[in-house]
Amino acid sequence: MIRILKRQSFSNLKKIAPFFLLIFLILPFIYSLEIGKWHFSQIFIFPYAALIFTLVFFKVNCEKYINATSLKCDTVGEEINTVQEILHSKNLLIDSFNLKLKRYSQLKELTERLTTVVALDYTAGIILEKTIQLIPNFSSCLLYLINPKTYELNCYLSKTIDGSLVKAKKGDIFDQWVIKKMQPLLVEDVNKDFRFDVEMIDKEELRNIRSLIIAPLMTYNKIIGILRIDSLTPSCFNQEDLRLLVTISDLAAAAIDNAILYQHTLDLAIHDGLTSLYLKNYFLERLGEELQRASMKKGHLSILMLDIDKFKDFNDKFGHIAGDIVLKAVSKILQESAGKDANIICRFGGEEFAILLVDTDKEEALNLAEDLRKAIKAKEVILRRESLKITVSIGVVSCPDDGYELEDLMRKVDAFLYQAKRDGRDRVCFQEK
């Protein structure tokens, strides 16, 4: 600014130089000619006048240039503020891009991890873990899956910031809205959202939440569950969080669908398709594990082997469909009577069934075998309008009474079964003490 004033002063000086020449030389000379003599006042009066004139001239011009310079400074200041605002917006944009890049990197990691696991439990755990990392402002994160038989929501896995249990196991009005609409949901404040009446939520299931986001798990235009995040504070989530949750739910839906399919494949590998009982290989595998455990802990274990009496007559007289009906009837009774705790019920082959009774001694096993024989005999089966009775022969062995070796126990229980057949069927045989 000082430099500007100096340059402007020099320029003005050149402009007023002729006036100085007029004041100091020409005017005094003219004045002396008029009065006819020379006086010392001629030397001082005109310079003083010139000085006053110069000061006034410089004052007026300096004020003009100071005002102009101040205006220029204000303009420059406004430009600086504008540039700062642009820089601030650019920095916010860069931060947004960095956040998106970080989230996409975590989504890539989520995708890679989901492709390496097939068990549903591990898959669900990874989904909740990564969801919390990507959207950390949460009080609870929940994964609900729809029961394919009852079509009800069931809370499969949940995580709360304080470790408390989630009581709404079947979901609430927000979850049901997502299931019905098959659309994601953002609620900024549950107390102010006109779409929902919080008073409709059961007081026992009501949680202290103020905002939430929910995304449906969709596969092939079918909803298999929902992914939900709650917060204790209102307006905690925005549309960007909801879009991110939808992206996570898309990845999660495919992974969960694959895990369910894998579990179904495993079930088919170890379950009989007709009776839904376990198959022989799985039964023998579990029997080996339980025998080892019983041996180490000096515990008890029992095995029941059943065979339907004269099963071939059902097939010959009524056809194989009738035989399937009989097998289903027997398997249902076995499941209702012995399908408890850690017991393993198996279709051993054809019309034979085997039951592994964990932590059961011989006396308890014999009582159960007798109850099963009576329950099956009391079962009435209608085939072609003809009422038929079913009977079974049962062999029983126990550990440690009859040994600890798998092959030895299976050989003995099979022998007792055929002894019951030879003794007239419809009976229980075992090694007496």
Side-chain angles (χ1 to χ4, degrees):
M1 182 176 176
I2 295 175
R3 291 179 180 177
I4 294 173
L5 291 175
K6 285 182 178 179
R7 288 198 301 268
Q8 195 64 42
S9 299
F10 182 73
S11 176
N12 292 333
L13 185 61
K14 291 192 294 182
K15 292 180 181 180
I16 66 173
F19 294 98
F20 273 100
L21 183 62
L22 175 65
I23 293 172
F24 281 98
L25 297 178
I26 299 175
L27 289 180
F29 178 73
I30 295 173
Y31 180 73
S32 62
L33 290 177
E34 289 181 355
I35 63 175
K37 61 178 179 178
W38 184 266
H39 194 268
F40 74 93
S41 62
Q42 298 172 8
I43 300 173
F44 296 102
I45 293 174
F46 290 103
Y48 281 133
L51 179 61
I52 294 171
F53 173 79
T54 302
L55 291 175
V56 172
F57 179 83
F58 271 105
K59 180 177 181 299
V60 172
N61 280 276
C62 285
E63 288 179 353
K64 289 182 180 179
Y65 288 112
I66 289 173
N67 292 334
T69 304
S70 176
L71 181 61
K72 289 182 180 180
C73 290
D74 292 340
T75 304
V76 172
E78 291 177 358
E79 293 177 353
I80 291 174
N81 293 333
T82 302
V83 172
Q84 288 178 343
E85 290 179 1
I86 294 174
L87 288 176
H88 180 67
S89 63
K90 296 294 183 183
N91 289 332
L92 291 177
L93 187 60
I94 291 172
D95 293 340
S96 176
F97 283 145
N98 288 334
L99 178 61
K100 288 182 179 180
L101 184 62
K102 180 181 178 181
R103 285 179 168 179
Y104 287 146
S105 176
Q106 291 177 326
L107 286 174
K108 179 176 178 291
E109 182 183 351
L110 172 62
T111 305
E112 292 174 350
R113 291 189 63 183
L114 289 178
T115 57
T116 59
V117 296
V118 289
L120 184 56
D121 290 344
Y122 289 109
T123 300
I126 292 172
I127 291 170
L128 255 63
E129 174 190 344
K130 284 299 176 182
T131 301
I132 292 170
Q133 289 181 5
L134 288 164
I135 310 176
N137 300 325
F138 79 102
S139 62
S140 58
C141 183
L142 306 98
L143 175 65
Y144 285 91
L145 296 180
I146 293 180
N147 189 320
K149 296 181 179 179
T150 62
Y151 297 99
E152 292 181 344
L153 272 181
N154 291 306
C155 184
Y156 189 84
L157 190 62
S158 65
K159 182 176 179 59
T160 57
I161 197 169
D162 58 357
S164 60
L165 297 176
V166 177
K167 297 180 180 179
K169 298 298 183 181
K170 302 294 183 180
D172 54 23
I173 56 176
F174 306 107
D175 305 316
Q176 297 301 329
W177 186 94
V178 174
I179 294 296
K180 182 179 179 180
K181 301 287 187 179
M182 299 178 68
Q183 295 178 358
L185 173 66
L186 166 63
V187 178
E188 295 183 352
D189 193 337
V190 298
N191 295 332
K192 298 180 180 179
D193 198 310
F194 67 91
R195 295 173 295 179
F196 305 100
D197 185 3
V198 182
E199 295 181 357
M200 293 179 60
I201 302 177
D202 192 335
K203 292 183 178 180
E204 295 182 357
E205 298 181 351
L206 183 62
R207 287 176 288 151
N208 185 23
I209 59 173
R210 292 296 301 275
S211 58
L212 57 92
I213 49 176
I214 307 175
L217 303 175
M218 303 286 296
T219 57
Y220 305 105
N221 295 324
K222 179 184 70 174
I223 186 166
I224 62 173
I226 61 171
L227 185 59
R228 170 173 172 169
I229 302 180
D230 301 331
S231 176
L232 299 175
T233 59
S235 302
C236 184
F237 307 110
N238 52 36
Q239 288 293 336
E240 184 65 26
D241 294 324
L242 183 61
R243 281 192 291 268
L244 179 60
L245 187 65
V246 170
T247 302
I248 297 173
S249 68
D250 290 340
L251 297 174
I256 290 174
D257 192 49
N258 290 336
I260 293 175
L261 181 60
Y262 175 76
Q263 185 64 47
H264 181 63
T265 304
L266 288 182
D267 289 342
L268 291 177
I270 63 175
H271 286 88
D272 175 56
L274 177 65
T275 63
S276 298
L277 301 178
Y278 289 108
L279 294 174
K280 177 180 178 180
N281 290 339
Y282 181 76
F283 175 84
L284 294 176
E285 179 182 344
R286 286 295 308 274
L287 176 58
E289 295 173 358
E290 294 299 332
L291 280 173
Q292 185 177 8
R293 188 175 68 89
S295 176
M296 293 176 58
K297 295 185 176 182
K298 306 298 181 182
H300 295 278
L301 179 150
S302 297
I303 304 171
L304 275 59
M305 185 74 77
L306 301 82
D307 185 86
I308 300 176
D309 296 329
K310 298 182 179 181
F311 181 75
K312 188 174 181 298
D313 294 344
F314 292 106
N315 287 333
D316 293 343
K317 185 175 181 180
F318 301 101
H320 290 282
I321 296 179
D324 293 343
I325 294 175
V326 172
L327 289 172
K328 288 181 179 180
V330 173
S331 64
K332 184 177 181 181
I333 294 173
L334 297 181
Q335 288 175 317
E336 291 174 350
S337 301
K340 303 175 182 178
D341 302 327
N343 297 339
I344 303 296
I345 306 174
C346 157
R347 184 183 177 187
F348 206 74
E351 67 273 17
E352 288 185 348
F353 298 87
I355 303 176
L356 169 60
L357 302 175
V358 180
D359 296 328
T360 305
D361 58 23
K362 178 171 282 190
E363 183 178 356
E364 293 173 329
L366 290 173
N367 291 334
L368 178 59
E370 189 62 30
D371 292 340
L372 288 174
R373 184 190 68 81
K374 293 178 180 179
I376 293 172
K377 187 174 183 179
K379 177 67 176 178
E380 184 179 23
V381 178
I382 306 297
L383 295 175
R384 296 182 184 177
R385 299 182 181 180
E386 184 177 344
S387 178
L388 302 175
K389 292 294 184 180
I390 308 170
T391 62
V392 294
S393 300
I394 306 176
V396 180
V397 294
S398 295
C399 169
D401 297 343
D402 299 302
Y404 280 103
E405 295 297 327
L406 187 149
E407 292 80 4
D408 188 34
L409 289 173
M410 293 305 299
R411 180 180 57 79
K412 288 181 179 180
V413 74
D414 190 61
F416 291 137
L417 170 62
Y418 282 96
Q419 180 182 342
K421 292 282 189 182
R422 290 192 298 269
D423 291 346
R425 300 184 179 88
D426 188 25
R427 64 191 65 230
V428 177
C429 283
F430 59 97
Q431 178 69 50
E432 297 183 0
K433 295 181 180 180

